[in-house]
Amino acid sequence: HQNEWFRKQAANEMAWRGMTELLPRLIAMAKNIDEPRALEALWAADMLDGITDDLAAELLSHKDVYVRRWAVRIIGDKGIAWEKSAAALASLGKTETNHEIRAQLAASAKRLPAKTAMPILRGLLDYYDKEKDDHLPLLIWWAMENKAEKARDDVLGFFAGKDVWSHKITRATLATNLAKRYALAGGETNLQSCAKLVGLAPDDETRGFVVAGIASAFEGAEMPKLPDALATALNDYLKKQSGGDLALSLRTGDEKALKDALKILADPKAPSLKRISIAKVLSELGKKEAVAPIVAILAKEAGNEGLKRAVLQAAAKFDDKRIAEALLTGWEGRIAGDPALRETALRVLAGRKEWAQITMDFVDEWKVPVKHFSIDVVRQLSLHNDPRINASIEKHWKGKLMV
C-alpha cells in the first residue's frame, strides 16, 4: 500500500493474529536488495518472531544500510549468541563505514554475551573516523564496562593482542577507563585485574595510560594496599607525574620554578597528579600566589572532583576568604553533586572562623541546604564559640548537638 499508516497497521494485524504463514513472503521481501519495502518486511517478520540465525547473518550484508542497521539491532535485542550472525557481526565491525551502523554495533554489543561482543568491539577499532565517529569511543567503552566483572577474562583478553594497543581508542579511552573502573570498585580481584592490565601493556608509553587510570581513581583519597607489581608501577608513575625536580626547586626558593609551578597549576590540560603535588608544596611553603589558580580550579573546572578534593587539602592552609567564596558561590552546580567533595568542602569551610561565618551567611540565605551538613560538621562549627555562628546553629540545628 502507498499509505504508510496502512502498511504499519497491516504489520500489527499480522503480529496480533500470529499469521506466521506469511513469513516466507516477508523474508523474501526483506532479503530482496531491490525491494523498497525491505525494511518494513523485516520489521513485520521480527514481530512474528521469524528472524533466525541464518537470516540475520544474511541481512547483515544487505545493500540497504537501514536493513543492515536494523538487523544489528534485532540481534542485539534478542541477546542470543548465534554462531553465524556472531561471525558476521565481527566481520561487519571491521568493514562497515556507515557511522550509524557502527554506533549500533557498539550499542548492541552491550546486550550480547561477551564472547560475541568482544570481537565486534575489536573490529570497530580498525575503522575510526574521528569527525563522524566522535561518540564511538565512549559507546565501545559503554559496552565493555558492562562486562568488566561478569566476563572479566574475556574483557582482559581483549587487550592481549599487541595490535590492539596501536589504536588511540584503546590507549586513551578503553585501557584508561577500565583500569580506573577496576580501581574504583576495589577489592583483591579487581586490583589483581588492574595488575594484569598493566602487564598486558606492551611498552612504557601504553603502560602509562593504564597506570594513569588507576592513579586517577585515588585522587584526593587514601590508596588501599595494592598488589606488589601494581604498587611498583604506580609508584614509578607517580614519581614521574608529581613534578619531583620542580618540587625540589620550589623548596629551594627558585623564582623561575615558582613561575613554572604556577603556570602548571593553572593549566587544565596538565596532569592532575602534577597539579595536586604542586598545590601541596606551594601551600606548605605558604606561597599566596597559589591562591588564585586554586580558586580557579574550585570555581571553574567542572568534572574533576578528585582534583578538587585533593586541592582543597592545600587550600585549607591559606587564610584567604576567596577560597570560601569560590566554594559557596554556585554551590549546587559545582560542589553539591559529589558527596565526597561536598563533605570535604564543608569540613574545610568549618575549619576557619571567618570561612565558617561566611558559610552560615549562605545557609541563612538558603543558598546552601541545611541537609548537606553532617552532625560532625555542625559540631566542628560550634567549636568556634562565635555568637554569629551559634545563632545560625540554633536556628537550623536546634537540639541536634545534644545527642
Side-chain angles (χ1 to χ4, degrees):
H1 202 283
Q2 294 299 312
N3 190 299
E4 183 182 1
W5 184 88
F6 283 98
R7 295 197 303 272
K8 289 185 175 179
Q9 192 64 24
N12 287 333
E13 289 291 342
M14 291 177 198
W16 294 334
R17 299 184 187 189
M19 301 172 69
T20 54
E21 66 272 15
L22 296 176
L23 274 173
R25 292 176 61 186
L26 291 170
I27 291 172
M29 288 178 65
K31 292 164 72 171
N32 188 343
I33 61 173
D34 296 317
E35 171 57 60
R37 309 296 182 203
L39 178 59
E40 290 172 293
L42 171 60
W43 290 339
D46 184 43
M47 292 168 71
L48 289 168
D49 198 25
I51 308 300
T52 63
D53 186 10
D54 289 338
L55 176 60
E58 184 175 347
L59 292 177
L60 289 174
S61 60
H62 200 282
K63 182 176 74 173
D64 189 325
V65 294
Y66 296 105
V67 171
R68 295 203 304 276
R69 179 183 174 188
W70 269 92
V72 173
R73 174 168 177 174
I74 290 169
I75 295 169
D77 289 348
K78 291 183 180 297
I80 301 172
W82 279 335
E83 185 177 346
K84 289 185 178 179
S85 55
L89 285 169
S91 177
L92 189 65
K94 294 179 180 180
T95 59
E96 182 60 64
T97 58
N98 181 278
H99 66 279
E100 291 184 8
I101 298 178
R102 291 169 59 72
Q104 185 62 59
L105 281 164
S108 293
K110 179 180 182 291
R111 295 187 167 197
L112 292 168
K115 292 190 182 304
T116 301
M118 289 300 119
I120 298 172
L121 301 181
R122 172 63 188 85
L124 289 172
L125 298 181
D126 289 334
Y127 181 88
Y128 172 53
D129 184 333
K130 186 176 181 181
E131 185 176 339
K132 293 181 179 178
D133 292 340
D134 59 331
H135 58 299
L136 188 63
L138 289 180
L139 280 173
I140 295 175
W141 163 240
W142 180 61
M144 180 175 288
E145 194 275 337
N146 175 260
K147 310 175 193 310
E149 291 192 46
K150 60 187 180 184
R152 191 184 305 271
D153 291 341
D154 292 296
V155 171
L156 290 173
F158 179 92
F159 298 91
K162 188 175 181 180
D163 59 317
V164 170
W165 293 91
S166 65
H167 297 278
K168 184 178 179 181
I169 296 177
T170 301
R171 302 191 304 272
T173 302
L174 302 181
T176 303
N177 286 354
L178 183 63
K180 183 175 182 178
R181 191 251 186 252
Y182 282 141
L184 283 171
E188 183 179 355
T189 303
N190 286 317
L191 293 177
Q192 287 292 350
S193 294
C194 287
K196 289 179 181 178
L197 196 56
V198 171
L200 288 170
D203 52 51
D204 288 342
E205 181 185 0
T206 52
R207 197 171 297 117
F209 285 97
V210 179
V211 179
I214 299 167
S216 66
F218 302 125
E219 285 179 1
E222 186 176 351
M223 196 176 297
K225 179 174 174 53
L226 303 174
D228 291 341
L230 182 57
T232 300
L234 190 58
N235 287 334
D236 290 343
Y237 175 82
L238 291 174
K239 287 177 183 178
K240 292 178 181 178
Q241 294 296 314
S242 63
D245 293 340
L246 183 58
L248 182 61
S249 298
L250 282 171
R251 294 185 186 281
T252 64
D254 189 317
E255 287 296 323
K256 184 179 182 301
L258 177 59
K259 290 181 181 179
D260 292 342
L262 292 171
K263 185 177 180 180
I264 293 171
L265 185 59
D267 182 5
K269 296 181 180 179
S272 293
L273 287 170
K274 184 172 287 188
R275 299 173 80 191
I276 292 168
S277 176
I278 287 172
K280 181 180 178 182
V281 173
L282 291 175
S283 68
E284 290 172 355
L285 297 174
K287 298 293 184 180
K288 295 182 179 180
E289 298 94 328
V291 172
I294 286 175
V295 166
I297 290 172
L298 298 174
K300 298 178 181 179
E301 293 194 26
N304 200 340
E305 284 73 18
L307 172 65
K308 289 183 179 180
R309 286 201 307 271
V311 166
L312 269 174
Q313 306 302 322
K317 297 183 180 181
F318 292 105
D319 186 5
D320 193 313
K321 69 177 185 178
R322 287 180 294 169
I323 294 170
E325 291 168 349
L327 289 170
L328 294 166
T329 303
W331 174 265
E332 289 287 353
R334 293 196 292 259
I335 305 296
D338 185 278
L341 175 60
R342 185 175 68 215
E343 181 70 11
T344 301
L346 288 174
R347 288 185 180 279
V348 168
L349 289 166
R352 291 184 179 274
K353 182 176 178 179
E354 184 184 14
W355 295 4
Q357 291 173 338
I358 296 172
T359 303
M360 290 300 95
D361 289 341
F362 274 77
V363 172
D364 290 340
E365 294 171 7
W366 305 104
K367 293 178 180 177
V368 175
V370 171
K371 65 181 181 180
H372 288 173
F373 289 76
S374 65
I375 269 307
D376 287 341
V377 172
V378 178
R379 286 196 178 102
Q380 188 178 351
L381 288 165
S382 70
L383 294 176
H384 293 293
N385 199 25
D386 176 75
R388 183 171 151 196
I389 296 173
N390 289 343
S392 292
I393 292 175
E394 179 69 14
K395 177 181 177 181
H396 300 293
W397 296 281
K398 185 176 181 179
K400 292 187 178 181
L401 295 183
M402 300 300 291
V403 180

